[in-house]
C-alpha cells in the first residue's frame, strides 16, 4: 500500500471522530466491556483539538481516505479528548519534561499494517527535533503491544474513573529517546 502521512486539519475533525469511534469499538472489544468503551468515548478517548491547533496531530491516508491518526504534544495533558475534565495546556520544558504521545487510532481494517509505527516514527522525530529526550503516554490495553515494540516500558496500570460506578484500565508507559 502507498500511504500518505500529513498534518491533521480542523476540517478533518468529523472524520477523525468516526475513526476514533470505529477503532475503539472494534479493536478494544476483547479488552473492555461495551459500557467501558462507550463511556470512554465520551471523555477519555476522542479528538483533542489542541493537538490539531499545535500541528502535532497527523492523519494517514490511503488513496485520499483517512485511515489512521495519532500525534504527540508539548503540553502537560497526557490523554483525553476536548471533553476530558483534567486538561492542562501548560507548555512542557524539553530539557526536563517528557513529550506526550497522544491518541493513536487506526480503522480496524488497517490494523497491524504498520500505520501505528509510521505515526510513532513521525512523533518521535518531531519530539527529538524540539529537544525532548523522553516520551510518555497513557495506553489503552490494545495499544500496549505497539508501544512496547517501539521501546516503551510499562510504568503502572491505572483505573481511570469513567463515572461513579465504572472504571477503565489504562497503562502509563515511557521511553528515553536519543537526541540527534
Amino acid at each position: 500500500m502507498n500511504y500518505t502521512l500529513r498534518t491533521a486539519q480542523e476540517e478533518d475533525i468529523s472524520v477523525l471522530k468516526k475513526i476514533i469511534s470505529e477503532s475503539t469499538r472494534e479493536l478494544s472489544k476483547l479488552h473492555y466491556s461495551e459500557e467501558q468503551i462507550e463511556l470512554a468515548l465520551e471523555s477519555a478517548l476522542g479528538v483533542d483539538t489542541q493537538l490539531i491547533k499545535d500541528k502535532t496531530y497527523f492523519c494517514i491516508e490511503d488513496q485520499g481516505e483517512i485511515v489512521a491518526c495519532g500525534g504527540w504534544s508539548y503540553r502537560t495533558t497526557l490523554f483525553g479528548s476536548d471533553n476530558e475534565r483534567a486538561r492542562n495546556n501548560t507548555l512542557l520544558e524539553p530539557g526536563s519534561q517528557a513529550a506526550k504521545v497522544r491518541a493513536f487510532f487506526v480503522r480496524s481494517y488497517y490494523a497491524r499494517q504498520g500505520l501505528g509505527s509510521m505515526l510513532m516514527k513521525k512523533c518521535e522525530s518531531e519530539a527529538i527535533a524540539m529537544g525532548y529526550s523522553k516520551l510518555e503516554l497513557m495506553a489503552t490495553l490494545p495499544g500496549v503491544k505497539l508501544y512496547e515494540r517501539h521501546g516503551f516500558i510499562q510504568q503502572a496500570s491505572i483505573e481511570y474513573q469513567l463515572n461513579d460506578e465504572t472504571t477503565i484500565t489504562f497503562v502509563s508507559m515511557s521511553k528515553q529517546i536519543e537526541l540527534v
Side-chain angles (χ1 to χ4, degrees), residues 31-112:
H31 301 275
Y32 302 124
S33 72
E34 186 176 328
E35 179 185 25
Q36 287 173 308
I37 290 169
E38 295 307 317
L39 289 170
L41 285 168
E42 292 176 12
S43 65
L45 306 176
V47 174
D48 182 342
T49 54
Q50 186 65 57
L51 300 174
I52 294 171
K53 291 173 189 167
D54 290 343
K55 301 196 180 314
T56 60
Y57 202 65
F58 309 102
C59 300
I60 297 177
E61 295 180 334
D62 180 17
Q63 300 178 11
E65 176 189 0
I66 300 172
V67 297
C69 52
W72 72 283
S73 182
Y74 49 79
R75 297 183 185 274
T76 302
T77 298
L78 181 57
F79 69 97
S81 70
D82 287 344
N83 298 326
E84 171 58 38
R85 60 189 176 268
R87 300 183 60 72
N88 182 344
N89 286 330
T90 304
L91 297 176
L92 299 166
E93 290 290 328
S96 62
Q97 295 177 298
K100 313 302 183 200
V101 173
R102 302 280 314 275
F104 277 40
F105 297 95
V106 178
R107 287 194 176 206
S108 58
Y109 176 80
Y110 289 87
R112 294 164 202 68

